[in-house]
Amino acid sequence: LIKPHSRPGLYIVNISAEMAPVAKVGGLGDVVTGLSRSLQRKGHLVEIILPKYDCMDYTRIKSLKELDLELHSFFDGQIHKNKVWSGIVEGLPVYFIEPLHPAKFFWRGQFYSEPDDFKRFTYFCRAALEFLLQSGKRPDVIHSHDWHTAVVAPLYWDIYVPLGLDSARLAFTCHNFEYQGAEPAVALASCGLSVRELLRPDRMQDNSFPNKINLLKGGIVFSNVVTTVSPTYAQEVLRPEGGKGLQGTLAQHSRKFYGVLNGIDDESWNPATDSLLNHQYSADDLSGKEANKQMLRERLGLVTQGDDARRPLVGCITRLVPQKGVHLIRHSIYRTLERGGQFILLGSSPIPHIQHEFEGIARQFENHPQIRLVLKYDEALSHSIYAASDIFVIPSIFEPCGLTQMIAMRYGSIPVVRETGGLADSVFDVDNESIPIEKRNGFSFQSLDEGGLNWALDRAMSYYAQNPDWWEKLVRKAMKIDFSWDVSADQYVDFYNQIVTNVHATRT
Ligand code: ADP
């Protein structure tokens, strides 16, 4: 299938529903941008294909222009027109697909949580592959992400290889096994795939509901390499609690399944150059961190005078969904208050009853001198909170990788986490004597009840209050940890090289 070519690096096309900062809901967006930038710096050609959402941050797209190309793609038995736009995001070439479909798939004012998400993203995947075919692109690797673009894999082999788009091998990364894209099987026919062929236990049939088709499973079965976002999560998903029904499929495909810890984009997340901060700072000079803390507290109306000046500021930035340990997030607000700290929560929830509950707590603390809840998505405020906070809580029930603990540490905010998934791979308790002392960088706990959180948060707050010099050393150490994409991107290059031909692998 693979044709030799003369480029020194690989040509990788990411097909994704998110890309930071233009279309970001959570970590998926950060990963697509951070990994791609790192690969680009290593000499590979990386392009990204995204839906053209109405709600993107268009101010962050450079040179956006409509391509002179009529893209016709198939859906629901008909051919539909699409516009394709190109632009540069964070130095990366991006193509945006705009369907001219009467359902206005990406003109909804939000990225997800539409009743026809399955249709929206299967339409997008078909159009994205059609674009690659029509524009004569010959990538070495097509990398798709999460259930939204998992259907790229069966579409590629069943429809596009026979049509001549045959240069690529397929990588698939699952960022969260909770979201699988399972629908009554007939829904798959819309994008042109054969339900009869694919509704089989060894293909795309949902493992729990035999009448359903499972897109995530299709991504696993039909891709050449499958990754998830941390080594610990890669183990956890082989068990029923983690695999959410796909553990058997993963076990069958274990020889091509790996866990690679995400990195963070250390240029976007750098307190020494972050233009969203009023005061830049580094591990060698923390005075700017203190100034940011003061400013943010004033801005949000928390008291900063007298005895209050040295209260530890606890931060939390999160999607408010059950996975994130909503009951423990709520509890940590009250516990922080009880123990004499200040707390800032930045978060929002797609789940109405959770959003409602937190709106109630926000009202309760509306003019409170120590607690503030900001219930929205706000990129700029998130940077200020990472910079201002001393302690950062992440009490997740499960966490595939988690980026906020890494960003927090880079900004000198010490994480208090539940020991699960990628949190267990990146946060090591300061009091855990089985861990080499140089690796210890935060506080962790295991149990799902409030006692575990209390134990870890109380220790953090006591160290902060009683041992300021020790704390400052811990902050400097955390800020110096290398969480960049550099090492993890090399692992992806190894996988890419393994799946393209040996001829090519020996050339790179
Ligand atoms: P997930 O992908 O499950 O949401 P991650 O920890 O992998 O969790 O990534 C979360 C990313 O989203 C981080 O970059 C975090 O700063 C950001 N984020 C989450 N909630 C908000 C919010 N309300 N406002 C701004 N950024 C947010």
Side-chain angles (χ1 to χ4, degrees):
L1 281 176
I2 308 296
K3 313 260 188 307
H5 61 66
S6 56
R7 259 187 321 277
L10 293 161
Y11 174 16
I12 302 139
V13 173
N14 281 281
I15 303 180
S16 172
E18 289 186 39
M19 177 187 187
V22 292
K24 168 173 156 180
V25 175
L28 166 62
D30 289 303
V31 171
V32 169
T33 303
L35 173 60
S36 301
R37 290 229 300 187
S38 181
L39 293 169
Q40 191 186 50
R41 279 197 291 271
K42 289 175 190 286
H44 304 284
L45 172 59
V46 188
E47 295 175 337
I48 293 110
I49 307 182
L50 283 183
K52 187 165 181 288
Y53 300 100
D54 57 346
C55 51
M56 281 193 299
D57 183 354
Y58 283 86
T59 63
R60 307 292 288 269
I61 309 173
K62 290 202 182 112
S63 316
L64 183 64
K65 61 171 190 292
E66 190 185 333
L67 297 188
D68 185 16
L69 173 129
E70 285 239 313
L71 180 68
H72 294 96
S73 65
F74 174 92
F75 203 71
D76 271 340
Q78 288 179 33
I79 299 293
H80 297 274
K81 273 198 205 161
N82 303 271
K83 288 186 187 177
V84 184
W85 301 69
S86 69
I88 304 290
V89 177
E90 302 292 280
L92 292 160
V94 185
Y95 295 100
F96 301 94
I97 306 241
E98 180 185 357
L100 302 179
H101 186 284
K104 295 191 180 335
F105 284 133
F106 301 110
W107 215 253
R108 307 287 182 83
Q110 60 178 359
F111 298 109
Y112 308 133
S113 305
E114 292 287 302
D116 57 349
D117 276 355
F118 188 100
K119 261 187 190 294
R120 296 168 73 221
F121 290 104
T122 48
Y123 180 99
F124 165 65
C125 291
R126 173 100 200 213
L129 288 171
E130 191 65 40
F131 168 62
L132 292 178
L133 177 72
Q134 296 295 323
S135 53
K137 290 179 178 290
R138 312 273 308 157
D140 299 306
V141 176
I142 299 174
H143 192 156
S144 42
H145 301 264
D146 275 353
W147 76 264
H148 321 104
T149 59
V151 80
V152 160
L155 278 172
Y156 179 75
W157 297 115
D158 285 4
I159 297 176
Y160 283 90
V161 167
L163 288 173
L165 176 67
D166 57 6
S167 61
R169 289 292 169 107
L170 306 183
F172 177 63
T173 298
C174 180
H175 301 250
N176 193 330
F177 281 87
E178 181 153 89
Y179 308 103
Q180 301 189 355
E183 288 270 305
V186 57
L188 189 67
S190 296
C191 68
L193 286 169
S194 159
V195 175
R196 192 171 47 83
E197 290 287 319
L198 294 168
L199 190 67
R200 290 176 24 175
D202 58 339
R203 297 191 178 165
M204 294 178 73
Q205 185 174 43
D206 189 83
N207 295 340
S208 314
F209 300 96
N211 294 329
K212 287 192 172 180
I213 209 87
N214 185 312
L215 295 182
L216 197 61
K217 181 170 168 181
I220 297 166
V221 171
F222 291 104
S223 297
N224 300 101
V225 65
V226 179
T227 68
T228 190
V229 290
S230 70
T232 297
Y233 190 55
Q235 295 297 315
E236 289 170 353
V237 295
L238 295 174
R239 297 191 290 269
E241 320 83 80
K244 318 263 175 199
L246 286 175
Q247 58 280 2
T249 306
L250 289 167
Q252 276 158 16
H253 291 271
S254 62
R255 288 180 57 195
K256 63 174 185 189
F257 178 55
Y258 305 91
V260 182
L261 191 68
N262 284 336
I264 53 172
D265 189 329
D266 58 353
E267 280 180 28
S268 319
W269 296 111
N270 182 356
T273 55
D274 190 333
S275 57
L276 294 169
L277 302 183
N278 289 93
H279 303 275
Q280 283 80 33
Y281 61 98
S282 67
D284 299 324
D285 179 5
L286 292 171
S287 53
K289 182 164 177 69
E290 194 52 42
N292 285 314
K293 177 176 175 183
Q294 189 72 4
M295 274 201 73
L296 183 67
R297 296 195 297 174
E298 279 167 12
R299 185 176 139 203
L300 295 181
L302 301 183
V303 292
T304 57
Q305 304 299 318
D307 286 350
D308 292 312
R310 235 199 84 74
R311 283 179 193 269
L313 181 61
V314 181
C316 179
I317 300 172
T318 186
R319 292 183 299 121
L320 290 165
V321 291
Q323 170 201 336
K324 301 290 178 182
V326 175
H327 66 293
L328 292 177
I329 293 173
R330 185 183 54 219
H331 176 73
S332 63
I333 299 172
Y334 295 97
R335 186 70 178 183
T336 300
L337 185 59
E338 232 171 81
R339 305 282 301 189
Q342 295 183 321
F343 198 102
I344 300 176
L345 170 80
L346 172 63
S348 61
S349 185
I351 302 168
H353 78 90
I354 298 182
Q355 179 74 13
H356 212 76
E357 179 190 345
F358 276 79
E359 280 165 4
I361 305 174
R363 270 196 303 278
Q364 179 191 345
F365 289 113
E366 204 158 5
N367 295 310
H368 197 280
Q370 320 294 359
I371 308 288
R372 196 62 70 242
L373 276 67
V374 183
L375 299 180
K376 60 173 177 180
Y377 182 91
D378 187 332
E379 182 78 20
L381 181 59
S382 78
H383 286 243
S384 302
I385 296 173
Y386 286 120
S389 56
D390 302 296
I391 295 169
F392 199 90
V393 286
I394 315 169
S396 304
I397 311 294
F398 74 94
E399 191 59 76
C401 177
L403 298 175
T404 59
Q405 77 279 16
M406 300 188 208
I407 303 170
M409 282 189 265
R410 183 131 170 90
Y411 283 67
S413 182
I414 302 301
V416 172
V417 307
R418 195 167 160 267
E419 200 181 319
T420 177
L423 296 170
D425 292 330
S426 55
V427 178
F428 306 100
D429 196 289
V430 296
D431 291 324
N432 185 343
E433 287 174 2
S434 67
I435 305 252
I437 200 153
E438 62 283 3
K439 278 188 84 176
R440 299 186 213 162
N441 56 8
F443 299 84
S444 60
F445 61 96
Q446 285 178 344
S447 69
L448 278 169
D449 56 29
E450 296 169 354
L453 176 82
N454 289 349
W455 178 68
L457 183 59
D458 290 1
R459 277 186 301 128
M461 292 181 70
S462 308
Y463 275 117
Y464 178 89
Q466 288 158 19
N467 212 336
D469 293 340
W470 179 91
W471 186 269
E472 198 177 299
K473 275 199 201 116
L474 179 64
V475 167
R476 289 184 204 281
K477 177 169 144 186
M479 288 181 74
K480 287 185 176 159
I481 301 172
D482 181 4
F483 286 118
S484 73
W485 267 103
D486 203 39
V487 176
S488 300
D490 282 342
Q491 286 180 268
Y492 277 97
V493 173
D494 285 347
F495 298 142
Y496 295 156
N497 276 325
Q498 278 169 29
I499 60 175
V500 301
T501 57
N502 289 338
V503 180
H504 189 219
T506 55
R507 293 161 55 92
T508 52

